[in-house]
Amino acid sequence: MATLKKEDPQVAKLIELETERQKTMLEMIPSENHTSPAVREALGSIMTDKYAEGYPGKRYYAGLEYYDKLETLCIERAKKLFKVPHANVQPYSGSPANMAVYMATCNPGETVTGMALPMGGHLTHGWKVNFSAKFFNSVQYGVDEKTNLIDYEAVRKIVEAAKPKLMWVGATAYPRIFDWAKFREIADSVGAYLAADIAHIAGLVVAGVHPSPVPYVHIVSTTTHKTLRGPRGGMIMVTDEGLKKDPELAKKIDKAVFPGLQGGPHMNRVAALAVCLKEASTPAFKKYGKQVVKNAKALAEELKKLGFKLITGGTENHLLLLDLRNKNISGSDAHIRLEKAGIIINKNSIPFDPNPPFKPSGIRMGTPAITTQGMKEKEMKIIAGFINEVISDEKSVFKIGQKVKTLCRKFPLP
Ligand SMILES: *Cc1c(COP(=O)(O)O)cnc(C)c1O
């Protein structure tokens, strides 16, 4: 950052401070990760300079020879990695990607269905404050009150009554595997488009530790910065099943992204995504994805031994949702206290939470970022101990903070 330090020391200083913070704290928000230096170099490149409205070979501006080659390379890598016939790599992020899916498949006012936010679903799957519920008739499903698992029969009943045009599967706080085949059966019973939003689990799908939705769903949307470990951004894929249902679907998605919703794509991000997709196609990434899940399971087991209550009793993916009501601390207070000790997690509602969203009963945590740093099961045991001490005894915050620093120094950022 030699130039930046000279030209703008204020910004350089903040980046330095944030770098130091990331080096010394445990990043355990399940939607976050640490990118590679190669991804960041591409993201910080000159590819940010030009407009590239349109698609490779069909642009509106001149001078795009290399941008065309780059976007084509990125698309081909996405198609190969996820085994899909069509990919659009232009969405600015996960939410705009989902907007494009709505725009490609529904008219305003039509019925759509997805998992409710307090049950683990995402805002863009039809939550009331979001465009997805304001512009469409949103009917939501949830999880079973006893098991907190998706009750596929309950979903079937809701869908059969609502007859949605578009149905979402995917979540931000669901620690279990999705049964894509069952959702497809339900979607087919009413002729709905089925979209899998794998924002959280894309990296796990690539690593083979979560079943791929590709053989079952029509559309796959994802972010590229969570377990996939790329730059912030979004991506939409159309499957063979999607093209069978609607031969125009790939064209409709492309048209919805541009000119439907967006102008010029952020091509520096597309460059960084291409790098990310190359990295994700290596055996090392498969090993990484497997370790993410092994670590989450190890952390879950250790926390259970320490008396913590886990929603659904454990995890099968990268994240854990804890119900803290038996620990006499709110999710918000735990969030603040853990942050003081350098353990970064987030407060989170639990299904059927008796407490309000700004003071929920739970916390959510995950292993993608600390696994990128090379931590394994042994460190998960240590971290579970840290979390337990901080939650049981407020006075331990400083002492644990020092131990967190020592641990982090042993596992440098990429
Ligand atoms: C994170 C996430 C998104 C949205 O991504 P942004 O990049 O924050 O807009 C969409 N869907 C799911 C399931 C997510 O977890």
Side-chain angles (χ1 to χ4, degrees), residues 29-47:
I29 291 172
S31 49
E32 296 183 2
N33 215 326
H34 296 299
T35 46
S36 72
V39 163
R40 294 197 301 269
E41 275 177 23
L43 194 61
S45 72
I46 206 159
M47 287 292 177

Side-chain angles (χ1 to χ4, degrees), residues 186-198:
I186 298 169
D188 278 353
S189 74
V190 296
Y193 286 103
L194 181 61
D197 180 348
I198 59 169

Side-chain angles (χ1 to χ4, degrees), residues 149-204:
L149 298 170
I150 293 170
D151 175 350
Y152 291 89
E153 275 322 296
V155 176
R156 182 189 303 276
K157 279 186 194 138
I158 290 168
V159 168
E160 278 176 358
K163 298 194 175 43
K165 188 91 176 282
L166 168 68
M167 190 176 156
W168 286 100
V169 194
T172 64
Y174 188 66
R176 297 286 164 178
I177 301 272
F178 293 104
D179 188 337
W180 308 117
K182 274 195 191 146
F183 273 105
R184 173 61 187 277
E185 232 184 84
I186 298 169
D188 278 353
S189 74
V190 296
Y193 286 103
L194 181 61
D197 180 348
I198 59 169
H200 262 258
I201 57 170
L204 307 184

